[in-house]
Amino acid sequence: MENTFTQTFCMTNNLKAIVHGASFPEILQPLIPLIERAFSGQVSSLLTDLGLTSGRPIPEDPGHLVQLPNEVYNSLFQRLSTDVLLSEGTSYRHARASLSPADFVLNPSARQLDAIVHRGRRYADVTHRIGDSQVVFRRGTTTRFGQIQSIFLHHRRLWSGDFRYQVFIALREHEALSPQDVTHDNYRKHEGLEAQLVRSTLDPAVLVIPIQDIVCHFASCPLPEPDTSSIPYPCLVVISLNEVRTHVTPPTQADRSST
């Protein structure tokens, strides 16, 4: 039994390193959230990520039902309209739009959550705890850095007639460096650090993502006395706190000699 546990542990970490690596085929990228959920070991998080049917209990203490702000609702509608896997093939109509062929109006209300535990880590919006609001998240085939503005439990009707309950994150993304300024980011030259620069300012647009697109937290500190001749705006040094290392630095000859 001990041997089985060890093999499964090693297999899981190897698989997670592979799916987060640059060589993972782009055609398989949509399967990453499913793989991570299968190996997360967090039962409550697993149920919340996948959604709960109408016959399942709703998580305790879900918060208060509120009307979603326009920018949050619009971003949620945009995501469900363009992500067939997330919408499960259901075509939705905007709550404030005119009649359309869509059968279901996307619910404009949700239950606000102050914080949630996801894959063993606590995440909260920026008004409750700044450190828990700094997240690395997946956007397409890349990872980005952002700040959680709100967390909400949303329920919607599917084409099958069932109801889906799912946790979403509304966040603002740290603005990225321009392609020209990336060449002055010395942190990216050392892949083993898994550190880089991002702009201190946040994109004014709110982006809504399902919680399974959250990868981990990140640590940050202001870039000390930036050289305005190379990067003319304030930046943060950000380091992913992902427990799965995507880069492995091969040992040097000196390392081999010391062993």
mmCIF file with all atom_site columns, all heavy atoms in Angstrom, residues 159-170:
data_model
loop_
_atom_site.group_PDB
_atom_site.id
_atom_site.type_symbol
_atom_site.label_atom_id
_atom_site.label_alt_id
_atom_site.label_comp_id
_atom_site.label_asym_id
_atom_site.label_entity_id
_atom_site.label_seq_id
_atom_site.pdbx_PDB_ins_code
_atom_site.Cartn_x
_atom_site.Cartn_y
_atom_site.Cartn_z
_atom_site.occupancy
_atom_site.B_iso_or_equiv
_atom_site.pdbx_formal_charge
_atom_site.auth_seq_id
_atom_site.auth_comp_id
_atom_site.auth_asym_id
_atom_site.auth_atom_id
_atom_site.pdbx_PDB_model_num
ATOM 1   N N   . TRP A 1 159 ? -29.707 23.562 -20.614 1.00 0.00 ? 159 TRP A N   1
ATOM 2   C CA  . TRP A 1 159 ? -30.672 23.150 -21.633 1.00 0.00 ? 159 TRP A CA  1
ATOM 3   C C   . TRP A 1 159 ? -31.402 21.870 -21.236 1.00 0.00 ? 159 TRP A C   1
ATOM 4   O O   . TRP A 1 159 ? -32.541 21.624 -21.657 1.00 0.00 ? 159 TRP A O   1
ATOM 5   C CB  . TRP A 1 159 ? -29.963 22.942 -22.971 1.00 0.00 ? 159 TRP A CB  1
ATOM 6   C CG  . TRP A 1 159 ? -28.964 21.808 -22.957 1.00 0.00 ? 159 TRP A CG  1
ATOM 7   C CD1 . TRP A 1 159 ? -27.643 21.892 -22.656 1.00 0.00 ? 159 TRP A CD1 1
ATOM 8   C CD2 . TRP A 1 159 ? -29.225 20.436 -23.232 1.00 0.00 ? 159 TRP A CD2 1
ATOM 9   N NE1 . TRP A 1 159 ? -27.044 20.657 -22.723 1.00 0.00 ? 159 TRP A NE1 1
ATOM 10  C CE2 . TRP A 1 159 ? -27.999 19.730 -23.084 1.00 0.00 ? 159 TRP A CE2 1
ATOM 11  C CE3 . TRP A 1 159 ? -30.361 19.722 -23.601 1.00 0.00 ? 159 TRP A CE3 1
ATOM 12  C CZ2 . TRP A 1 159 ? -27.889 18.362 -23.279 1.00 0.00 ? 159 TRP A CZ2 1
ATOM 13  C CZ3 . TRP A 1 159 ? -30.252 18.340 -23.808 1.00 0.00 ? 159 TRP A CZ3 1
ATOM 14  C CH2 . TRP A 1 159 ? -29.024 17.686 -23.643 1.00 0.00 ? 159 TRP A CH2 1
ATOM 15  N N   . SER A 1 160 ? -30.761 21.051 -20.382 1.00 0.00 ? 160 SER A N   1
ATOM 16  C CA  . SER A 1 160 ? -31.362 19.785 -19.948 1.00 0.00 ? 160 SER A CA  1
ATOM 17  C C   . SER A 1 160 ? -32.473 19.993 -18.920 1.00 0.00 ? 160 SER A C   1
ATOM 18  O O   . SER A 1 160 ? -33.216 19.064 -18.603 1.00 0.00 ? 160 SER A O   1
ATOM 19  C CB  . SER A 1 160 ? -30.286 18.888 -19.349 1.00 0.00 ? 160 SER A CB  1
ATOM 20  O OG  . SER A 1 160 ? -29.701 19.490 -18.198 1.00 0.00 ? 160 SER A OG  1
ATOM 21  N N   . GLY A 1 161 ? -32.565 21.219 -18.385 1.00 0.00 ? 161 GLY A N   1
ATOM 22  C CA  . GLY A 1 161 ? -33.545 21.496 -17.343 1.00 0.00 ? 161 GLY A CA  1
ATOM 23  C C   . GLY A 1 161 ? -32.956 21.504 -15.947 1.00 0.00 ? 161 GLY A C   1
ATOM 24  O O   . GLY A 1 161 ? -33.612 21.969 -15.000 1.00 0.00 ? 161 GLY A O   1
ATOM 25  N N   . ASP A 1 162 ? -31.749 20.969 -15.779 1.00 0.00 ? 162 ASP A N   1
ATOM 26  C CA  . ASP A 1 162 ? -31.074 20.999 -14.486 1.00 0.00 ? 162 ASP A CA  1
ATOM 27  C C   . ASP A 1 162 ? -30.565 22.412 -14.196 1.00 0.00 ? 162 ASP A C   1
ATOM 28  O O   . ASP A 1 162 ? -30.479 23.259 -15.090 1.00 0.00 ? 162 ASP A O   1
ATOM 29  C CB  . ASP A 1 162 ? -29.894 20.027 -14.469 1.00 0.00 ? 162 ASP A CB  1
ATOM 30  C CG  . ASP A 1 162 ? -30.339 18.575 -14.472 1.00 0.00 ? 162 ASP A CG  1
ATOM 31  O OD1 . ASP A 1 162 ? -31.454 18.307 -13.984 1.00 0.00 ? 162 ASP A OD1 1
ATOM 32  O OD2 . ASP A 1 162 ? -29.579 17.723 -14.960 1.00 0.00 ? 162 ASP A OD2 1
ATOM 33  N N   . PHE A 1 163 ? -30.206 22.630 -12.927 1.00 0.00 ? 163 PHE A N   1
ATOM 34  C CA  . PHE A 1 163 ? -29.607 23.893 -12.526 1.00 0.00 ? 163 PHE A CA  1
ATOM 35  C C   . PHE A 1 163 ? -28.156 23.653 -12.144 1.00 0.00 ? 163 PHE A C   1
ATOM 36  O O   . PHE A 1 163 ? -27.831 22.661 -11.506 1.00 0.00 ? 163 PHE A O   1
ATOM 37  C CB  . PHE A 1 163 ? -30.363 24.514 -11.347 1.00 0.00 ? 163 PHE A CB  1
ATOM 38  C CG  . PHE A 1 163 ? -31.675 25.133 -11.746 1.00 0.00 ? 163 PHE A CG  1
ATOM 39  C CD1 . PHE A 1 163 ? -32.830 24.369 -11.765 1.00 0.00 ? 163 PHE A CD1 1
ATOM 40  C CD2 . PHE A 1 163 ? -31.751 26.465 -12.113 1.00 0.00 ? 163 PHE A CD2 1
ATOM 41  C CE1 . PHE A 1 163 ? -34.042 24.921 -12.134 1.00 0.00 ? 163 PHE A CE1 1
ATOM 42  C CE2 . PHE A 1 163 ? -32.957 27.035 -12.487 1.00 0.00 ? 163 PHE A CE2 1
ATOM 43  C CZ  . PHE A 1 163 ? -34.106 26.262 -12.502 1.00 0.00 ? 163 PHE A CZ  1
ATOM 44  N N   . ARG A 1 164 ? -27.304 24.559 -12.558 1.00 0.00 ? 164 ARG A N   1
ATOM 45  C CA  . ARG A 1 164 ? -25.884 24.454 -12.257 1.00 0.00 ? 164 ARG A CA  1
ATOM 46  C C   . ARG A 1 164 ? -25.489 25.544 -11.274 1.00 0.00 ? 164 ARG A C   1
ATOM 47  O O   . ARG A 1 164 ? -25.738 26.726 -11.493 1.00 0.00 ? 164 ARG A O   1
ATOM 48  C CB  . ARG A 1 164 ? -25.054 24.582 -13.535 1.00 0.00 ? 164 ARG A CB  1
ATOM 49  C CG  . ARG A 1 164 ? -23.560 24.472 -13.343 1.00 0.00 ? 164 ARG A CG  1
ATOM 50  C CD  . ARG A 1 164 ? -23.129 23.062 -12.977 1.00 0.00 ? 164 ARG A CD  1
ATOM 51  N NE  . ARG A 1 164 ? -23.297 22.145 -14.079 1.00 0.00 ? 164 ARG A NE  1
ATOM 52  C CZ  . ARG A 1 164 ? -23.866 20.953 -13.959 1.00 0.00 ? 164 ARG A CZ  1
ATOM 53  N NH1 . ARG A 1 164 ? -24.347 20.579 -12.787 1.00 0.00 ? 164 ARG A NH1 1
ATOM 54  N NH2 . ARG A 1 164 ? -23.961 20.145 -14.984 1.00 0.00 ? 164 ARG A NH2 1
ATOM 55  N N   . TYR A 1 165 ? -24.857 25.138 -10.163 1.00 0.00 ? 165 TYR A N   1
ATOM 56  C CA  . TYR A 1 165 ? -24.308 26.075 -9.187  1.00 0.00 ? 165 TYR A CA  1
ATOM 57  C C   . TYR A 1 165 ? -22.792 26.081 -9.355  1.00 0.00 ? 165 TYR A C   1
ATOM 58  O O   . TYR A 1 165 ? -22.174 25.021 -9.378  1.00 0.00 ? 165 TYR A O   1
ATOM 59  C CB  . TYR A 1 165 ? -24.673 25.668 -7.753  1.00 0.00 ? 165 TYR A CB  1
ATOM 60  C CG  . TYR A 1 165 ? -26.131 25.815 -7.431  1.00 0.00 ? 165 TYR A CG  1
ATOM 61  C CD1 . TYR A 1 165 ? -27.050 24.810 -7.752  1.00 0.00 ? 165 TYR A CD1 1
ATOM 62  C CD2 . TYR A 1 165 ? -26.603 26.956 -6.805  1.00 0.00 ? 165 TYR A CD2 1
ATOM 63  C CE1 . TYR A 1 165 ? -28.394 24.941 -7.464  1.00 0.00 ? 165 TYR A CE1 1
ATOM 64  C CE2 . TYR A 1 165 ? -27.954 27.093 -6.508  1.00 0.00 ? 165 TYR A CE2 1
ATOM 65  C CZ  . TYR A 1 165 ? -28.839 26.094 -6.839  1.00 0.00 ? 165 TYR A CZ  1
ATOM 66  O OH  . TYR A 1 165 ? -30.176 26.231 -6.553  1.00 0.00 ? 165 TYR A OH  1
ATOM 67  N N   . GLN A 1 166 ? -22.201 27.263 -9.464  1.00 0.00 ? 166 GLN A N   1
ATOM 68  C CA  . GLN A 1 166 ? -20.769 27.340 -9.729  1.00 0.00 ? 166 GLN A CA  1
ATOM 69  C C   . GLN A 1 166 ? -20.180 28.618 -9.161  1.00 0.00 ? 166 GLN A C   1
ATOM 70  O O   . GLN A 1 166 ? -20.820 29.675 -9.174  1.00 0.00 ? 166 GLN A O   1
ATOM 71  C CB  . GLN A 1 166 ? -20.517 27.280 -11.239 1.00 0.00 ? 166 GLN A CB  1
ATOM 72  C CG  . GLN A 1 166 ? -19.066 27.057 -11.626 1.00 0.00 ? 166 GLN A CG  1
ATOM 73  C CD  . GLN A 1 166 ? -18.932 26.666 -13.083 1.00 0.00 ? 166 GLN A CD  1
ATOM 74  O OE1 . GLN A 1 166 ? -19.787 26.989 -13.904 1.00 0.00 ? 166 GLN A OE1 1
ATOM 75  N NE2 . GLN A 1 166 ? -17.863 25.985 -13.415 1.00 0.00 ? 166 GLN A NE2 1
ATOM 76  N N   . VAL A 1 167 ? -18.949 28.498 -8.649  1.00 0.00 ? 167 VAL A N   1
ATOM 77  C CA  . VAL A 1 167 ? -18.255 29.658 -8.085  1.00 0.00 ? 167 VAL A CA  1
ATOM 78  C C   . VAL A 1 167 ? -17.449 30.356 -9.185  1.00 0.00 ? 167 VAL A C   1
ATOM 79  O O   . VAL A 1 167 ? -16.734 29.712 -9.948  1.00 0.00 ? 167 VAL A O   1
ATOM 80  C CB  . VAL A 1 167 ? -17.320 29.220 -6.940  1.00 0.00 ? 167 VAL A CB  1
ATOM 81  C CG1 . VAL A 1 167 ? -16.485 30.410 -6.456  1.00 0.00 ? 167 VAL A CG1 1
ATOM 82  C CG2 . VAL A 1 167 ? -18.131 28.641 -5.793  1.00 0.00 ? 167 VAL A CG2 1
ATOM 83  N N   . PHE A 1 168 ? -17.592 31.676 -9.235  1.00 0.00 ? 168 PHE A N   1
ATOM 84  C CA  . PHE A 1 168 ? -16.850 32.490 -10.188 1.00 0.00 ? 168 PHE A CA  1
ATOM 85  C C   . PHE A 1 168 ? -16.049 33.558 -9.436  1.00 0.00 ? 168 PHE A C   1
ATOM 86  O O   . PHE A 1 168 ? -16.405 33.963 -8.327  1.00 0.00 ? 168 PHE A O   1
ATOM 87  C CB  . PHE A 1 168 ? -17.788 33.176 -11.183 1.00 0.00 ? 168 PHE A CB  1
ATOM 88  C CG  . PHE A 1 168 ? -18.371 32.247 -12.215 1.00 0.00 ? 168 PHE A CG  1
ATOM 89  C CD1 . PHE A 1 168 ? -19.564 31.591 -11.970 1.00 0.00 ? 168 PHE A CD1 1
ATOM 90  C CD2 . PHE A 1 168 ? -17.721 32.031 -13.418 1.00 0.00 ? 168 PHE A CD2 1
ATOM 91  C CE1 . PHE A 1 168 ? -20.107 30.733 -12.914 1.00 0.00 ? 168 PHE A CE1 1
ATOM 92  C CE2 . PHE A 1 168 ? -18.244 31.180 -14.369 1.00 0.00 ? 168 PHE A CE2 1
ATOM 93  C CZ  . PHE A 1 168 ? -19.444 30.531 -14.115 1.00 0.00 ? 168 PHE A CZ  1
ATOM 94  N N   . ILE A 1 169 ? -14.985 33.998 -10.082 1.00 0.00 ? 169 ILE A N   1
ATOM 95  C CA  . ILE A 1 169 ? -14.113 35.041 -9.553  1.00 0.00 ? 169 ILE A CA  1
ATOM 96  C C   . ILE A 1 169 ? -14.162 36.235 -10.493 1.00 0.00 ? 169 ILE A C   1
ATOM 97  O O   . ILE A 1 169 ? -13.970 36.088 -11.704 1.00 0.00 ? 169 ILE A O   1
ATOM 98  C CB  . ILE A 1 169 ? -12.654 34.554 -9.444  1.00 0.00 ? 169 ILE A CB  1
ATOM 99  C CG1 . ILE A 1 169 ? -12.551 33.274 -8.608  1.00 0.00 ? 169 ILE A CG1 1
ATOM 100 C CG2 . ILE A 1 169 ? -11.752 35.655 -8.903  1.00 0.00 ? 169 ILE A CG2 1
ATOM 101 C CD1 . ILE A 1 169 ? -12.846 33.450 -7.148  1.00 0.00 ? 169 ILE A CD1 1
ATOM 102 N N   . ALA A 1 170 ? -14.427 37.421 -9.932  1.00 0.00 ? 170 ALA A N   1
ATOM 103 C CA  . ALA A 1 170 ? -14.316 38.665 -10.699 1.00 0.00 ? 170 ALA A CA  1
ATOM 104 C C   . ALA A 1 170 ? -12.999 39.317 -10.309 1.00 0.00 ? 170 ALA A C   1
ATOM 105 O O   . ALA A 1 170 ? -12.762 39.583 -9.125  1.00 0.00 ? 170 ALA A O   1
ATOM 106 C CB  . ALA A 1 170 ? -15.488 39.595 -10.408 1.00 0.00 ? 170 ALA A CB  1
#
